[in-house]
Amino acid sequence: MKTALVCGAGGFIGSHLVKRLKADGYWVRGADLKIPDFSTTEADDFALGDLCNFRNAERVMSLPNGEVFDEVYQLAADMGGAGYIFTGENDAAIMHNSAQINLNIGSIAVNKKIGKLFYSSSACMYPAYNQEDPDNPKCSEDSAYPAAPDSEYGWEKLFSERFYLALQRNHGLDVSIARYHNIFGPEGTWDGGREKAPAALCRKVIRAEEGGTIEIWGTGNQTRSFLYIDECIEGTLRLTRSNFTGPVNIGSEEMVSINQFAEMIIKLSGKNVKYKNIDGPVGVNGRNSDNRLLQKELGWQPSMKLYNGLEKTYKWIQEQNERTHRYT
Ligand code: NAD
């Protein structure tokens, strides 16, 4: 039986990845500061602890009898939506915690000679100067330099990409790196300050009174694409099981403005809700995945329509919201 370690298994993408690896017949260990918020983990073994601590990380990456993990998925990061990563208030923590986790995991992966390491980078590492025009953002993999991410979160991702690539060059680490673009879906954070735009907008529409108005950060002309969780997991596994190192985008090419996105959510809610644009942290003006390299190297790219993923996500948040109201 193949073995996999998922770091960040208590988080949104990590908890979905554990489910998929179990369905694929793996023995899986999850590791995180917390267990998943919205479902019971399906991991065979779950290590609760801080991966910034080298000894913890070493224990987590060890198997009995000196066996080594076939695959390690490194998704643990100090992470959140625009309200967490673009305000500046959490910059030092984000840089310190995520870099420390990656320094630990990368070094231990080399020492233990693990089979394969997957690292989840982010489209936030792309230079801000290529993302000023909302209608024409440039996010091809080769446009990463000269580097100029618009957040410390993006700088840390770039540093860690480079660290894993250096481990590959200097120590033969077998690594694959994805640059995720806005992943969304059920069982993602939807309230509390770390949620991202899809979940935040669904929640606002769900909680709006009939005939009411929701607030949208920024002008709403900023553009993004959003990838449904199942396709993110599919891309992650295809990349990890390939011989391609990347970094490569894993995202959707269906770009929408945030106002269009809100209109989509309002439409599927069937409610009479309006929106108004207010000042708030927004990040770059435009961003879209460029899947040419992904298609060329893996012969695959996501194909699900945004609306279909939104329907599932909206329904799930609606259920969560009803539950919250019932019990509080
Ligand atoms: P998430 O916040 O839900 O999951 C990250 C997990 O890491 C959390 O459960 C958190 O508790 C854990 N973690 C943080 N610090 C830790 C520590 N010191 N020790 C152990 N665990 C720790 O985020 P996600 O959306 O599931 O993202 C997973 C990965 O993908 C992250 O690296 C993120 O930067 C990257 N990514 C996500 C998106 C997205 O849209 N969700 C986009 C680009 C990149």
PDB file of all heavy atoms in Angstrom, residues 73-98:
ATOM      1  N   TYR A  73       2.622  15.804   0.724  1.00  0.00           N
ATOM      2  CA  TYR A  73       1.932  16.982   0.173  1.00  0.00           C
ATOM      3  C   TYR A  73       2.070  18.114   1.189  1.00  0.00           C
ATOM      4  O   TYR A  73       1.531  18.008   2.294  1.00  0.00           O
ATOM      5  CB  TYR A  73       0.451  16.659  -0.081  1.00  0.00           C
ATOM      6  CG  TYR A  73       0.272  15.600  -1.145  1.00  0.00           C
ATOM      7  CD1 TYR A  73       0.332  14.248  -0.823  1.00  0.00           C
ATOM      8  CD2 TYR A  73       0.078  15.962  -2.473  1.00  0.00           C
ATOM      9  CE1 TYR A  73       0.188  13.269  -1.803  1.00  0.00           C
ATOM     10  CE2 TYR A  73      -0.062  14.990  -3.456  1.00  0.00           C
ATOM     11  CZ  TYR A  73       0.001  13.650  -3.114  1.00  0.00           C
ATOM     12  OH  TYR A  73      -0.134  12.686  -4.084  1.00  0.00           O
ATOM     13  N   GLN A  74       2.768  19.167   0.827  1.00  0.00           N
ATOM     14  CA  GLN A  74       3.023  20.259   1.760  1.00  0.00           C
ATOM     15  C   GLN A  74       2.070  21.418   1.466  1.00  0.00           C
ATOM     16  O   GLN A  74       2.349  22.264   0.630  1.00  0.00           O
ATOM     17  CB  GLN A  74       4.492  20.661   1.670  1.00  0.00           C
ATOM     18  CG  GLN A  74       5.035  21.622   2.681  1.00  0.00           C
ATOM     19  CD  GLN A  74       4.090  22.430   3.536  1.00  0.00           C
ATOM     20  OE1 GLN A  74       3.149  21.913   4.170  1.00  0.00           O
ATOM     21  NE2 GLN A  74       4.319  23.716   3.572  1.00  0.00           N
ATOM     22  N   LEU A  75       0.954  21.435   2.216  1.00  0.00           N
ATOM     23  CA  LEU A  75      -0.048  22.491   2.045  1.00  0.00           C
ATOM     24  C   LEU A  75      -0.179  23.381   3.275  1.00  0.00           C
ATOM     25  O   LEU A  75      -0.961  24.330   3.254  1.00  0.00           O
ATOM     26  CB  LEU A  75      -1.425  21.880   1.721  1.00  0.00           C
ATOM     27  CG  LEU A  75      -1.562  21.215   0.356  1.00  0.00           C
ATOM     28  CD1 LEU A  75      -1.311  19.727   0.450  1.00  0.00           C
ATOM     29  CD2 LEU A  75      -2.921  21.463  -0.246  1.00  0.00           C
ATOM     30  N   ALA A  76       0.548  23.058   4.341  1.00  0.00           N
ATOM     31  CA  ALA A  76       0.399  23.844   5.573  1.00  0.00           C
ATOM     32  C   ALA A  76       0.957  25.244   5.367  1.00  0.00           C
ATOM     33  O   ALA A  76       2.063  25.411   4.851  1.00  0.00           O
ATOM     34  CB  ALA A  76       1.124  23.156   6.729  1.00  0.00           C
ATOM     35  N   ALA A  77       0.186  26.246   5.741  1.00  0.00           N
ATOM     36  CA  ALA A  77       0.616  27.642   5.593  1.00  0.00           C
ATOM     37  C   ALA A  77      -0.245  28.522   6.481  1.00  0.00           C
ATOM     38  O   ALA A  77      -1.382  28.177   6.797  1.00  0.00           O
ATOM     39  CB  ALA A  77       0.471  28.093   4.143  1.00  0.00           C
ATOM     40  N   ASP A  78       0.327  29.648   6.866  1.00  0.00           N
ATOM     41  CA  ASP A  78      -0.442  30.652   7.604  1.00  0.00           C
ATOM     42  C   ASP A  78      -1.182  31.454   6.542  1.00  0.00           C
ATOM     43  O   ASP A  78      -0.583  32.205   5.791  1.00  0.00           O
ATOM     44  CB  ASP A  78       0.519  31.547   8.395  1.00  0.00           C
ATOM     45  CG  ASP A  78      -0.183  32.275   9.506  1.00  0.00           C
ATOM     46  OD1 ASP A  78      -1.418  32.179   9.602  1.00  0.00           O
ATOM     47  OD2 ASP A  78       0.504  32.951  10.291  1.00  0.00           O
ATOM     48  N   MET A  79      -2.469  31.290   6.485  1.00  0.00           N
ATOM     49  CA  MET A  79      -3.198  31.564   5.249  1.00  0.00           C
ATOM     50  C   MET A  79      -4.569  32.170   5.532  1.00  0.00           C
ATOM     51  O   MET A  79      -5.138  31.946   6.594  1.00  0.00           O
ATOM     52  CB  MET A  79      -3.332  30.183   4.568  1.00  0.00           C
ATOM     53  CG  MET A  79      -4.357  30.015   3.510  1.00  0.00           C
ATOM     54  SD  MET A  79      -3.831  30.937   2.104  1.00  0.00           S
ATOM     55  CE  MET A  79      -5.062  30.425   0.942  1.00  0.00           C
ATOM     56  N   GLY A  80      -5.081  32.924   4.595  1.00  0.00           N
ATOM     57  CA  GLY A  80      -6.427  33.467   4.731  1.00  0.00           C
ATOM     58  C   GLY A  80      -6.807  34.232   3.489  1.00  0.00           C
ATOM     59  O   GLY A  80      -6.029  34.288   2.531  1.00  0.00           O
ATOM     60  N   GLY A  81      -7.986  34.827   3.478  1.00  0.00           N
ATOM     61  CA  GLY A  81      -8.417  35.632   2.340  1.00  0.00           C
ATOM     62  C   GLY A  81      -7.831  37.031   2.424  1.00  0.00           C
ATOM     63  O   GLY A  81      -6.945  37.299   3.236  1.00  0.00           O
ATOM     64  N   ALA A  82      -8.373  37.937   1.584  1.00  0.00           N
ATOM     65  CA  ALA A  82      -7.833  39.301   1.501  1.00  0.00           C
ATOM     66  C   ALA A  82      -7.846  39.989   2.872  1.00  0.00           C
ATOM     67  O   ALA A  82      -6.932  40.756   3.192  1.00  0.00           O
ATOM     68  CB  ALA A  82      -8.640  40.108   0.493  1.00  0.00           C
ATOM     69  N   GLY A  83      -8.864  39.691   3.675  1.00  0.00           N
ATOM     70  CA  GLY A  83      -8.977  40.311   4.993  1.00  0.00           C
ATOM     71  C   GLY A  83      -7.882  39.860   5.944  1.00  0.00           C
ATOM     72  O   GLY A  83      -7.677  40.456   7.008  1.00  0.00           O
ATOM     73  N   TYR A  84      -7.156  38.802   5.575  1.00  0.00           N
ATOM     74  CA  TYR A  84      -6.054  38.332   6.416  1.00  0.00           C
ATOM     75  C   TYR A  84      -4.692  38.647   5.803  1.00  0.00           C
ATOM     76  O   TYR A  84      -3.794  39.118   6.495  1.00  0.00           O
ATOM     77  CB  TYR A  84      -6.177  36.818   6.644  1.00  0.00           C
ATOM     78  CG  TYR A  84      -5.162  36.294   7.628  1.00  0.00           C
ATOM     79  CD1 TYR A  84      -5.300  36.552   8.990  1.00  0.00           C
ATOM     80  CD2 TYR A  84      -4.049  35.556   7.201  1.00  0.00           C
ATOM     81  CE1 TYR A  84      -4.359  36.100   9.906  1.00  0.00           C
ATOM     82  CE2 TYR A  84      -3.110  35.102   8.104  1.00  0.00           C
ATOM     83  CZ  TYR A  84      -3.265  35.372   9.453  1.00  0.00           C
ATOM     84  OH  TYR A  84      -2.322  34.927  10.360  1.00  0.00           O
ATOM     85  N   ILE A  85      -4.557  38.437   4.473  1.00  0.00           N
ATOM     86  CA  ILE A  85      -3.199  38.576   3.897  1.00  0.00           C
ATOM     87  C   ILE A  85      -2.899  39.938   3.273  1.00  0.00           C
ATOM     88  O   ILE A  85      -1.746  40.237   3.016  1.00  0.00           O
ATOM     89  CB  ILE A  85      -2.865  37.435   2.897  1.00  0.00           C
ATOM     90  CG1 ILE A  85      -3.805  37.424   1.698  1.00  0.00           C
ATOM     91  CG2 ILE A  85      -2.829  36.097   3.553  1.00  0.00           C
ATOM     92  CD1 ILE A  85      -3.430  36.362   0.674  1.00  0.00           C
ATOM     93  N   PHE A  86      -3.926  40.755   3.039  1.00  0.00           N
ATOM     94  CA  PHE A  86      -3.652  42.042   2.376  1.00  0.00           C
ATOM     95  C   PHE A  86      -3.767  43.261   3.286  1.00  0.00           C
ATOM     96  O   PHE A  86      -3.632  44.390   2.829  1.00  0.00           O
ATOM     97  CB  PHE A  86      -4.577  42.230   1.163  1.00  0.00           C
ATOM     98  CG  PHE A  86      -4.323  41.246   0.062  1.00  0.00           C
ATOM     99  CD1 PHE A  86      -5.362  40.555  -0.539  1.00  0.00           C
ATOM    100  CD2 PHE A  86      -3.031  40.981  -0.373  1.00  0.00           C
ATOM    101  CE1 PHE A  86      -5.131  39.633  -1.546  1.00  0.00           C
ATOM    102  CE2 PHE A  86      -2.781  40.062  -1.387  1.00  0.00           C
ATOM    103  CZ  PHE A  86      -3.836  39.388  -1.973  1.00  0.00           C
ATOM    104  N   THR A  87      -4.021  43.064   4.575  1.00  0.00           N
ATOM    105  CA  THR A  87      -4.144  44.224   5.459  1.00  0.00           C
ATOM    106  C   THR A  87      -2.783  44.678   5.983  1.00  0.00           C
ATOM    107  O   THR A  87      -2.641  45.793   6.463  1.00  0.00           O
ATOM    108  CB  THR A  87      -5.021  43.897   6.686  1.00  0.00           C
ATOM    109  OG1 THR A  87      -4.400  42.804   7.381  1.00  0.00           O
ATOM    110  CG2 THR A  87      -6.430  43.516   6.274  1.00  0.00           C
ATOM    111  N   GLY A  88      -1.781  43.810   5.907  1.00  0.00           N
ATOM    112  CA  GLY A  88      -0.449  44.143   6.424  1.00  0.00           C
ATOM    113  C   GLY A  88      -0.280  43.760   7.884  1.00  0.00           C
ATOM    114  O   GLY A  88       0.834  43.627   8.384  1.00  0.00           O
ATOM    115  N   GLU A  89      -1.386  43.548   8.577  1.00  0.00           N
ATOM    116  CA  GLU A  89      -1.306  43.314  10.028  1.00  0.00           C
ATOM    117  C   GLU A  89      -0.711  41.959  10.388  1.00  0.00           C
ATOM    118  O   GLU A  89      -0.214  41.764  11.490  1.00  0.00           O
ATOM    119  CB  GLU A  89      -2.712  43.387  10.644  1.00  0.00           C
ATOM    120  CG  GLU A  89      -3.241  44.794  10.737  1.00  0.00           C
ATOM    121  CD  GLU A  89      -4.746  44.835  10.945  1.00  0.00           C
ATOM    122  OE1 GLU A  89      -5.327  43.825  11.371  1.00  0.00           O
ATOM    123  OE2 GLU A  89      -5.325  45.898  10.650  1.00  0.00           O
ATOM    124  N   ASN A  90      -0.768  41.016   9.457  1.00  0.00           N
ATOM    125  CA  ASN A  90      -0.308  39.654   9.774  1.00  0.00           C
ATOM    126  C   ASN A  90       0.965  39.279   9.017  1.00  0.00           C
ATOM    127  O   ASN A  90       1.338  38.108   8.987  1.00  0.00           O
ATOM    128  CB  ASN A  90      -1.430  38.664   9.433  1.00  0.00           C
ATOM    129  CG  ASN A  90      -2.743  39.060  10.078  1.00  0.00           C
ATOM    130  OD1 ASN A  90      -2.825  39.144  11.301  1.00  0.00           O
ATOM    131  ND2 ASN A  90      -3.751  39.360   9.282  1.00  0.00           N
ATOM    132  N   ASP A  91       1.621  40.292   8.407  1.00  0.00           N
ATOM    133  CA  ASP A  91       2.747  40.004   7.512  1.00  0.00           C
ATOM    134  C   ASP A  91       3.868  39.204   8.178  1.00  0.00           C
ATOM    135  O   ASP A  91       4.372  38.228   7.603  1.00  0.00           O
ATOM    136  CB  ASP A  91       3.334  41.313   6.951  1.00  0.00           C
ATOM    137  CG  ASP A  91       2.442  41.908   5.874  1.00  0.00           C
ATOM    138  OD1 ASP A  91       1.480  41.236   5.457  1.00  0.00           O
ATOM    139  OD2 ASP A  91       2.718  43.045   5.458  1.00  0.00           O
ATOM    140  N   ALA A  92       4.284  39.639   9.367  1.00  0.00           N
ATOM    141  CA  ALA A  92       5.431  38.981  10.008  1.00  0.00           C
ATOM    142  C   ALA A  92       5.091  37.529  10.332  1.00  0.00           C
ATOM    143  O   ALA A  92       5.907  36.621  10.103  1.00  0.00           O
ATOM    144  CB  ALA A  92       5.832  39.735  11.273  1.00  0.00           C
ATOM    145  N   ALA A  93       3.887  37.308  10.837  1.00  0.00           N
ATOM    146  CA  ALA A  93       3.473  35.938  11.188  1.00  0.00           C
ATOM    147  C   ALA A  93       3.407  35.070   9.932  1.00  0.00           C
ATOM    148  O   ALA A  93       3.902  33.932   9.923  1.00  0.00           O
ATOM    149  CB  ALA A  93       2.119  35.963  11.891  1.00  0.00           C
ATOM    150  N   ILE A  94       2.806  35.606   8.877  1.00  0.00           N
ATOM    151  CA  ILE A  94       2.676  34.837   7.634  1.00  0.00           C
ATOM    152  C   ILE A  94       4.054  34.415   7.125  1.00  0.00           C
ATOM    153  O   ILE A  94       4.291  33.249   6.796  1.00  0.00           O
ATOM    154  CB  ILE A  94       1.937  35.682   6.563  1.00  0.00           C
ATOM    155  CG1 ILE A  94       0.456  35.804   6.918  1.00  0.00           C
ATOM    156  CG2 ILE A  94       2.118  35.083   5.169  1.00  0.00           C
ATOM    157  CD1 ILE A  94      -0.313  36.835   6.087  1.00  0.00           C
ATOM    158  N   MET A  95       4.977  35.388   7.064  1.00  0.00           N
ATOM    159  CA  MET A  95       6.312  35.083   6.520  1.00  0.00           C
ATOM    160  C   MET A  95       7.050  34.096   7.414  1.00  0.00           C
ATOM    161  O   MET A  95       7.635  33.122   6.951  1.00  0.00           O
ATOM    162  CB  MET A  95       7.137  36.354   6.373  1.00  0.00           C
ATOM    163  CG  MET A  95       6.537  37.305   5.376  1.00  0.00           C
ATOM    164  SD  MET A  95       7.473  38.815   5.250  1.00  0.00           S
ATOM    165  CE  MET A  95       8.691  38.335   4.032  1.00  0.00           C
ATOM    166  N   HIS A  96       7.032  34.362   8.701  1.00  0.00           N
ATOM    167  CA  HIS A  96       7.787  33.514   9.619  1.00  0.00           C
ATOM    168  C   HIS A  96       7.237  32.088   9.644  1.00  0.00           C
ATOM    169  O   HIS A  96       7.974  31.119   9.458  1.00  0.00           O
ATOM    170  CB  HIS A  96       7.765  34.106  11.033  1.00  0.00           C
ATOM    171  CG  HIS A  96       8.460  33.231  12.034  1.00  0.00           C
ATOM    172  ND1 HIS A  96       7.816  32.209  12.688  1.00  0.00           N
ATOM    173  CD2 HIS A  96       9.744  33.183  12.431  1.00  0.00           C
ATOM    174  CE1 HIS A  96       8.677  31.580  13.460  1.00  0.00           C
ATOM    175  NE2 HIS A  96       9.850  32.155  13.328  1.00  0.00           N
ATOM    176  N   ASN A  97       5.939  31.972   9.853  1.00  0.00           N
ATOM    177  CA  ASN A  97       5.365  30.640  10.058  1.00  0.00           C
ATOM    178  C   ASN A  97       5.467  29.782   8.798  1.00  0.00           C
ATOM    179  O   ASN A  97       5.897  28.624   8.855  1.00  0.00           O
ATOM    180  CB  ASN A  97       3.903  30.736  10.497  1.00  0.00           C
ATOM    181  CG  ASN A  97       3.765  31.420  11.844  1.00  0.00           C
ATOM    182  OD1 ASN A  97       4.742  31.555  12.582  1.00  0.00           O
ATOM    183  ND2 ASN A  97       2.572  31.886  12.168  1.00  0.00           N
ATOM    184  N   SER A  98       5.090  30.353   7.660  1.00  0.00           N
ATOM    185  CA  SER A  98       5.075  29.532   6.449  1.00  0.00           C
ATOM    186  C   SER A  98       6.491  29.197   5.995  1.00  0.00           C
ATOM    187  O   SER A  98       6.774  28.058   5.589  1.00  0.00           O
ATOM    188  CB  SER A  98       4.294  30.248   5.345  1.00  0.00           C
ATOM    189  OG  SER A  98       2.950  30.391   5.757  1.00  0.00           O
TER     190      SER A  98
END
